[in-house]
Amino acid sequence: MPIFGTVENSIATITLSRPKARNAWDEDYNEGLQRLLADYADRDEVRCVVLTGDETGGAFSAGANIADPQTHTTGSAADFIKSIGKWRKFVTHLFEEFPKPIVAAVNGYAIGVGCIATYSCDLIVASERAEWRSPQTSLGILPAYGGSVRLARWVGRGAAMRMAMGFPLAAREAFDLGLAQWLVPHGDLMDKARAVASHIAALPPLAVRMTKESLIRGLDIANIADASLVDTYRFMLLEGTADKDEAHRAWRERRQPNLTGL
């Protein structure tokens, strides 16, 4: 399987691994991500996920497997309509629906669907070698699954349009625009990504879940008043958790909290 996951110290690491093809995307990545994320969602000991590309591939992911003549083809309108259900299980939706934060560790080129995958994550740590490219328009298609709109939420309309028209985005530019929250030397990438994930894993896990849900869902609510109202209910739920009580006691007693996820 060209995608694999490991778990250590409450952090799951998922690696896209098709190095001879620069970790090019295929249906097996979608299937592998569904399987792994379903497992990690149910495992309380997993509190954060890091997604990266196999280092020997020299890229995060080179995008769709264009060498396959069936890539980006639809047999008929009926075939397309019947396949819409699969689209709902695509990486963009999988990552948004996953209840725990996902940190992208971008170690090289992130192209096409590989590019969209990075900004479907919750946080991005970029190597100085990282570069984002959206070549879909030059291939006669477009960045699917709301790719350009999703990017615009990170960097604004102009920068998203620039990417959609095929202009690349280098690591420093991505950091300056806010797409990447951290920019590090290549050799420090995984250490930094794991440090970010470790920080998240040390937080009250129910509060982390609700915070991610608040942000992801809140972006789709038309006005701030309604988004705020929904957050009131999330806040109330968290007030009833044992970890909230323990975190407040620990703060007052100037010690580290003993969090249980309850």
Side-chain angles (χ1 to χ4, degrees):
M1 175 64 72
I3 181 170
F4 61 90
T6 59
V7 177
E8 184 178 0
N9 297 327
S10 299
I11 301 167
T13 301
I14 298 176
T15 304
L16 308 175
S17 183
R18 187 174 278 112
K20 291 184 179 179
R22 300 177 70 198
N23 306 325
W25 206 280
D26 215 333
E27 183 59 30
D28 48 15
Y29 277 4
N30 298 325
E31 294 171 355
L33 284 167
Q34 289 176 42
R35 173 179 53 82
L36 289 169
L37 292 178
D39 178 34
Y40 297 152
D42 290 337
R43 292 171 61 175
D44 288 342
E45 72 271 24
V46 175
R47 297 190 176 184
C48 190
V49 172
V50 173
L51 176 70
T52 194
D54 190 326
E55 181 68 19
T56 60
F60 177 83
S61 173
N65 182 15
I66 304 298
D68 182 351
Q70 298 304 309
T71 296
H72 300 151
T73 61
T74 300
S76 67
D79 290 340
F80 172 75
I81 291 169
K82 292 174 183 178
S83 72
I84 288 176
K86 292 183 179 180
W87 283 49
R88 296 193 179 102
K89 297 179 181 178
F90 188 65
V91 57
T92 52
H93 305 288
L94 281 176
F95 290 179
E96 287 183 355
E97 296 295 331
F98 186 67
K100 306 166 188 180
I102 303 175
V103 179
V106 185
N107 57 323
Y109 288 107
I111 301 175
V113 61
C115 179
I116 295 171
T118 65
Y119 48 77
S120 296
C121 294
D122 301 298
L123 292 165
I124 296 176
V125 183
S127 154
E128 60 193 356
R129 298 181 189 175
E131 185 173 297
W132 284 260
R133 291 177 180 262
S134 290
Q136 291 95 327
T137 304
S138 70
L139 294 169
I141 51 175
L142 57 73
Y145 314 104
S148 293
V149 176
R150 293 175 191 277
L151 180 59
R153 285 179 165 180
W154 287 78
V155 300
R157 174 177 169 174
M161 181 64 77
R162 169 187 157 181
M163 282 276 289
M165 292 297 109
F167 294 95
L169 190 66
R172 169 55 64 178
E173 293 176 294
F175 176 72
D176 290 343
L177 285 169
L179 178 60
Q181 288 71 60
W182 294 272
L183 175 62
V184 297
H186 186 73
D188 297 339
L189 176 68
M190 292 309 296
D191 285 343
K192 182 61 179 180
R194 292 189 182 102
V196 171
S198 293
H199 171 87
I200 294 169
L203 297 171
L206 296 178
V208 169
R209 284 177 178 241
M210 289 289 96
T211 298
K212 173 173 176 173
E213 180 180 291
S214 169
L215 180 56
I216 296 297
R217 300 301 182 199
L219 285 169
D220 290 327
I221 295 176
N223 63 79
I224 192 65
D226 287 345
S228 298
L229 178 61
V230 177
D231 269 357
T232 300
Y233 293 98
R234 294 189 182 100
F235 190 94
M236 180 185 68
L237 282 172
L238 290 169
E239 279 197 330
T241 63
D243 276 353
K244 186 277 297 184
D245 292 338
E246 168 61 10
H248 280 64
R249 280 195 301 270
W251 186 90
R252 289 190 290 266
E253 296 169 7
R254 300 183 184 277
R255 60 173 175 82
Q256 290 297 312
N258 179 26
L259 303 173
T260 62
L262 300 174

